[in-house]
Amino acid sequence: MTISTVPPDRNLPISPMRYDPRFQVETKAENLDLGSVFRLVRRRMIMIIAITVLFMAPAAIMIFGLEPTYQGWARLIVHQPLATSLDADDASHSDLLDAKSETERLRSRSIAERVVRELHLEVREEFNPALREISFIERVRATLRGLFDTKKTTPPDRDNINAIIPEYFRALGVWHEDKSDVVQISFNSTDPLLAAAVPNRIISIYLDERKGSVDARLETAGEWIRQRITEQQARADISRDAARNYQESMDVVSKEDAQEERIKSFLELTGREGKIEESRVEVEGVISALEAADKASVVAQNIVVPDSIAIKQRDLRGQEQDLARLLETYDGNAEAVVDLRGEIEKSRADLDLATKQYLQTMRAKLTALDHEAEGVQSRLVVAQEKRIRDALVQTELSRLQKIAEKEQTALDKLENQRRDLAAKAMLPGAELEVLSPATVPLAPQGRGRLFYLVGALLAAISGAVTAAFVIEMSDRTVRSFDQVTAMARTIPAGLIPRLARWENSKTMFEHMPVPMFDEAIRTVVLSLKQSNGGKSPSSIVVTSAHSGEGKSLVARSLAIELAAAAIPVLLVDGDLRRGKLDSFFRSGLKYGLNEFLNGQADLRDIIYRHPCGIDFIPSGRFSLQRRIRSNGLAEIIEMAGAAGQIVIFDSAPVLASADTVHLTALAERTLAVVRWGKTSRRAVEFSLQQMKISRNSEIVVAINNVNPARHALYNFSDSELFSKSLMKYYSLKGANT
């Protein structure tokens, strides 16, 4: 809190007019309207929810403990199998079976036992009496029966199916309509899945039972045909193995592969033989030409020779042409002519040598071709022999394969007969046209749990709202000045909002404004001034009916507010037994008010000057009980008045200490602090009566620790006091955050 204006004189009157209290209370008639009901429900919402949950917990346990019964049902028509009607020999069969007979089949004992075992009904308490807990009534009945029947009864066996079958038949219903052949199956159970599973399981088991009768008749025929198949399979395997073994031993390939191989072999050998003959003729011609010629140069010109011989031939021909040109110029004895003739002779000798070598090569090639021709001829002979042998083997193999195919054909016929017999065995004894298969029922029979839950919830809410009304009507705590108006000579000083814990620690001496709380304290200061004729009272006693109602917070907040306005303040911790103001000021003084009243300390020894401008007197030691200075409190008030200070006493609760009554007789004004929603009106009224006995004056009342949000939910005349301030406060708080 900071000083922002010039401090006024506390003794200056506000106005020469009459000074009415700042809060004028208008009493409202306690009318019960819809708005009041709505506000009551809102402010008691948590309690209503808690009571509703408290009521719903046992109700929900009981409701969920109820076992709803579900019914599953199926509708069907029984026909003869369609395949039997296609057989001309079975034309006597009709399309529909006797519905009455099939109904009895559906209710047969064998089907019932299979349903019990397959769906494990023996482990369900609903169908197995041995699993049920014996009720108190049953125990009483058994006891009374035992008085007259001396025979000892044995408990039922849990695995005895004879005790389960009757329970099963009680839940089962099978009937057919008189005017149609439709058969209906129903089953009742507390488990919806089981209620739907039993009719469907009965249908499938019924089909199995009907099929079993057909299987019994076809079993003998099936055994006979299987024996025939085994024998024929052995004969077919023997013939097939004979053909395979013959083929492997003779190394025979398939007929198509053999023919293709023979054609390929003949073509290759014939082609090779033609090429050899052609090469042989060509080589013989070259050899004949080389042997018949006198000169190698002439022979080389008439046949195809290798490149080496052709090159030598060209060189010899060129040398001869050069010799002819030289003889035209020179005579035969010239040196150049003689040299060239020598070279020609040498070239001719080389050509003859190369020609002879080539002739030898051709003769060797001719010999090789003759050998190769003999080999090809021998291979042709072998191929021809193999061709004849393969033809004989293929003939024998074809005969064996035909025998194997004949045996396999016989086996296939038997297999077809077996499959036909198996297909007939697979036909059901009857065909079912399921008009409506059993489905899981969505809702139980009768009222469901949801209905009871909704009813219990409505009843719980009604009871919770009724309890809220009763608690609200029995609430005798103070929540508004409308409830204090009946108390005579009281002046409303204002509503002080509740502080959060962190706000409580910030409002002592730090400059951390709490707008709503600061404004409420200023209102209390103004109310005290108005009730005192327009000037600030010289002494103020701040008290309450009980402890823990916030009187110390209000007392020190008033001191801080006055000090912030530059008004000298003396704050006295007047609670001589439980005073705690020194923990906020941390004065460090060894003596306090108790020591001063007992004569153990002087007045100047117990006053602590705080830097904020507040003079503070602590309560001192609580163990001191003697009061030597009976007028010590009056001396403090007189001393403060002489110094121009306002004395604020943080007194003990009125109903806890008689010192407060004495102190209110000395002080100029008394501020009674009432805690919102905690202090009872009876305690406030009694405490006010105690203080009025000592001093017949008006007492200023301030309601502390008000919850603005909840206070706005009441239908009081001051309920809207915090509405706008609350919005500003939260907006400012959000901005600071």
Side-chain angles (χ1 to χ4, degrees):
M1 299 180 184
T2 58
I3 301 174
S4 59
T5 59
V6 179
D9 188 357
R10 67 182 179 85
N11 296 318
L12 288 178
I14 296 179
S15 173
M17 306 297 292
R18 60 187 297 271
Y19 305 103
D20 295 328
R22 176 176 173 83
F23 287 91
Q24 296 293 333
V25 179
E26 177 184 356
T27 305
K28 288 188 177 182
E30 296 183 356
N31 296 328
L32 184 64
D33 55 359
L34 292 179
S36 300
V37 174
F38 178 71
R39 283 189 288 269
L40 185 147
V41 172
R42 283 187 59 188
R43 62 177 175 262
R44 297 290 180 178
M45 181 60 68
I46 297 178
M47 186 193 71
I48 292 174
I49 294 175
I51 295 177
T52 301
V53 173
L54 186 63
F55 287 167
M56 281 298 296
I61 293 174
M62 294 178 62
I63 291 172
F64 283 105
L66 298 176
E67 293 292 340
T69 302
Y70 297 87
Q71 185 183 68
W73 54 273
R75 301 174 69 246
L76 54 104
I77 300 177
V78 184
H79 298 275
Q80 284 284 356
L82 181 61
T84 58
S85 63
L86 299 178
D87 190 358
D89 297 334
D90 274 345
S92 60
H93 292 287
S94 61
D95 185 47
L96 291 176
L97 297 177
D98 185 9
K100 292 183 179 180
S101 300
E102 302 308 316
T103 300
E104 294 302 322
R105 289 178 185 272
L106 291 170
R107 291 178 55 87
S108 64
R109 171 82 179 204
S110 60
I111 293 179
E113 291 179 354
R114 287 187 59 182
V115 171
V116 170
R117 291 191 178 92
E118 292 180 8
L119 297 181
H120 304 289
L121 299 185
E122 69 278 359
V123 299
R124 294 179 178 266
E125 182 181 348
E126 180 183 3
F127 299 98
N128 194 344
L131 300 178
R132 298 173 188 169
E133 184 179 356
I134 302 176
S135 62
F136 177 76
I137 298 176
E138 291 294 332
R139 292 194 188 97
V140 173
R141 292 177 59 185
T143 303
L144 295 176
R145 191 182 300 111
L147 296 177
F148 303 97
D149 189 2
T150 58
K151 185 184 292 184
K152 186 177 179 181
T153 59
T154 58
D157 186 9
R158 59 177 299 171
D159 295 330
N160 187 8
I161 196 172
N162 294 324
I164 303 173
I165 293 297
E167 299 292 334
Y168 164 80
F169 280 119
R170 289 192 190 97
L172 179 66
V174 181
W175 69 96
H176 75 280
E177 300 178 1
D178 295 335
K179 296 182 179 180
S180 66
D181 293 314
V182 176
V183 179
Q184 297 190 17
I185 305 173
S186 66
F187 193 79
N188 298 327
S189 175
T190 57
D191 186 0
L193 298 177
L194 182 64
V198 170
N200 294 330
R201 180 64 67 180
I202 289 174
I203 293 174
S204 62
I205 293 175
Y206 166 76
L207 292 176
D208 291 341
E209 293 285 339
R210 293 288 290 167
K211 181 178 178 296
S213 62
V214 177
D215 292 341
R217 291 186 299 164
L218 297 177
E219 183 64 26
T220 304
E223 184 65 27
W224 176 80
I225 198 68
R226 283 192 293 271
Q227 184 178 359
R228 290 288 308 277
I229 289 174
T230 302
E231 296 174 356
Q232 186 62 34
Q233 181 71 49
R235 288 194 292 270
D237 292 339
I238 291 172
S239 60
R240 193 182 304 109
D241 292 339
R244 184 175 60 254
N245 294 334
Y246 179 79
Q247 184 177 4
E248 291 176 356
S249 61
M250 301 302 294
D251 193 15
V252 181
V253 296
S254 63
K255 185 176 182 181
E256 292 80 7
D257 293 340
Q259 185 177 3
E260 183 179 356
E261 185 66 24
R262 287 195 298 271
I263 293 173
K264 183 178 179 180
S265 177
F266 276 115
L267 289 176
E268 289 179 356
L269 292 175
T270 304
R272 183 60 183 163
E273 185 180 15
K275 290 180 180 179
I276 292 173
E277 186 64 25
E278 182 180 355
S279 298
R280 188 172 180 282
V281 172
E282 181 180 356
V283 171
E284 287 179 351
V286 172
I287 293 174
S288 300
L290 291 176
E291 290 178 349
D294 295 333
K295 295 182 178 181
S297 60
V298 177
V299 176
Q301 294 177 359
N302 297 328
I303 61 176
V304 180
V305 295
D307 293 339
S308 59
I309 298 175
I311 292 172
K312 291 179 180 181
Q313 183 182 1
R314 285 195 302 271
D315 293 341
L316 179 61
R317 199 165 38 248
Q319 289 175 356
E320 290 177 350
Q321 292 177 359
D322 292 338
L323 179 61
R325 285 193 296 270
L326 288 176
L327 290 176
E328 292 178 359
T329 305
Y330 301 101
D331 58 0
N333 296 323
E335 184 179 0
V337 174
V338 174
D339 293 337
L340 184 58
R341 284 179 178 172
E343 292 177 0
I344 290 172
E345 290 296 330
K346 184 180 179 180
S347 298
R348 186 175 288 109
D350 292 339
L351 179 60
D352 292 338
L353 180 61
T355 302
K356 290 179 181 180
Q357 292 177 353
Y358 180 65
L359 177 61
Q360 292 177 359
T361 302
M362 289 296 102
R363 288 173 180 170
K365 184 177 181 181
L366 180 61
T367 303
L369 290 175
D370 291 338
H371 286 294
E372 186 176 0
E374 292 176 359
V376 171
Q377 187 65 33
S378 63
R379 289 174 63 186
L380 284 174
V381 173
V382 171
Q384 185 66 25
E385 292 177 354
K386 186 176 181 180
R387 181 180 178 184
I388 297 172
R389 184 171 83 57
D390 287 343
L392 296 175
V393 171
Q394 285 292 342
T395 302
E396 181 63 19
L397 180 62
S398 297
R399 186 184 69 81
L400 294 176
Q401 288 178 347
K402 287 180 180 180
I403 295 174
E405 290 176 358
K406 182 179 179 181
E407 296 295 336
Q408 185 64 37
T409 301
L411 179 63
D412 292 340
K413 289 181 179 180
L414 292 176
E415 285 289 344
N416 291 333
Q417 292 178 0
R418 185 190 63 80
R419 284 193 293 268
D420 293 339
L421 192 61
K424 291 180 180 180
M426 292 175 61
L427 288 175
E431 287 185 352
L432 297 182
E433 181 182 353
V434 181
L435 303 178
S436 299
T439 58
V440 178
L442 302 179
Q445 290 182 321
R447 302 291 185 180
R449 290 179 179 174
L450 180 60
F451 176 82
Y452 295 111
L453 283 175
V454 172
L457 180 61
L458 294 177
I461 293 174
S462 301
V465 173
T466 302
F469 272 96
V470 172
I471 294 174
E472 191 74 19
M473 294 180 67
S474 62
D475 185 12
R476 292 293 181 261
T477 59
V478 176
R479 297 183 182 271
S480 172
F481 286 113
D482 293 350
Q483 301 168 330
V484 188
T485 53
M487 304 175 189
R489 306 186 67 80
T490 57
I491 300 175
L495 302 176
I496 303 174
R498 180 176 58 185
L499 286 178
R501 184 172 299 176
W502 65 273
E503 292 174 339
N504 193 357
S505 62
K506 296 291 185 181
T507 56
M508 189 58 211
F509 303 115
E510 300 181 11
H511 300 288
M512 180 63 69
V514 182
M516 294 180 62
F517 183 81
D518 295 344
E519 187 64 24
I521 296 299
R522 295 189 189 97
T523 302
V524 173
V525 173
L526 182 59
S527 299
L528 289 170
K529 197 171 185 179
Q530 288 177 340
S531 65
N532 199 41
K535 62 179 180 180
S536 299
S538 60
S539 58
I540 305 171
V541 176
V542 181
T543 185
S544 61
H546 300 288
S547 61
E549 297 184 3
K551 61 179 182 58
S552 298
L553 174 64
V554 175
R556 70 174 184 264
S557 300
L558 289 175
I560 294 172
E561 180 64 29
L562 293 174
I567 299 176
V569 179
L570 175 61
L571 179 60
V572 181
D573 191 353
D575 192 349
L576 300 178
R577 292 183 177 86
R578 302 175 61 183
K580 297 180 181 179
L581 277 179
D582 192 39
S583 62
F584 292 91
F585 284 89
R586 297 182 179 88
S587 63
L589 297 177
K590 297 181 180 180
Y591 304 105
L593 184 60
N594 270 313
E595 286 79 3
F596 172 74
L597 295 179
N598 283 274
Q600 298 180 7
D602 194 23
L603 188 59
R604 62 177 176 271
D605 297 330
I606 64 174
I607 298 177
Y608 169 71
R609 180 73 178 180
H610 196 271
C612 69
I614 300 175
D615 290 344
F616 171 68
I617 297 177
S619 60
R621 288 184 297 171
F622 303 148
S623 60
L624 299 177
Q625 299 296 331
R626 295 178 58 194
R627 308 288 173 82
I628 298 176
R629 295 177 179 175
S630 58
N631 59 347
L633 297 176
E635 291 178 11
I636 293 175
I637 295 174
E638 184 178 358
M639 181 272 297
Q645 292 179 321
I646 297 178
V647 184
I648 300 176
F649 289 95
D650 179 16
S651 176
V654 178
L655 303 180
S657 176
D659 295 335
T660 303
V661 179
H662 174 66
L663 186 59
T664 56
L666 298 176
E668 188 175 358
R669 278 295 170 191
T670 301
L671 175 62
V673 178
V674 179
R675 186 167 181 176
W676 185 87
K678 181 179 180 182
T679 308
S680 64
R681 281 175 273 179
R682 184 176 180 180
V684 174
E685 186 175 4
F686 185 74
S687 61
L688 292 178
Q689 289 177 358
Q690 294 293 322
M691 290 185 288
K692 290 175 184 178
I693 293 174
S694 62
R695 185 185 181 104
N696 191 14
S697 62
E698 295 178 336
I699 298 175
V700 181
V701 180
I703 300 178
N704 182 39
N705 202 37
V706 180
N707 188 338
R710 293 195 61 189
H711 183 70
L713 298 177
Y714 286 86
N715 192 23
F716 297 128
S717 59
D718 53 359
S719 296
E720 300 295 330
L721 179 63
F722 291 104
S723 59
K724 295 184 179 179
S725 300
L726 185 64
M727 295 175 61
K728 293 180 181 178
Y729 169 69
Y730 283 127
S731 62
L732 179 61
K733 184 177 179 181
N736 293 334
T737 303

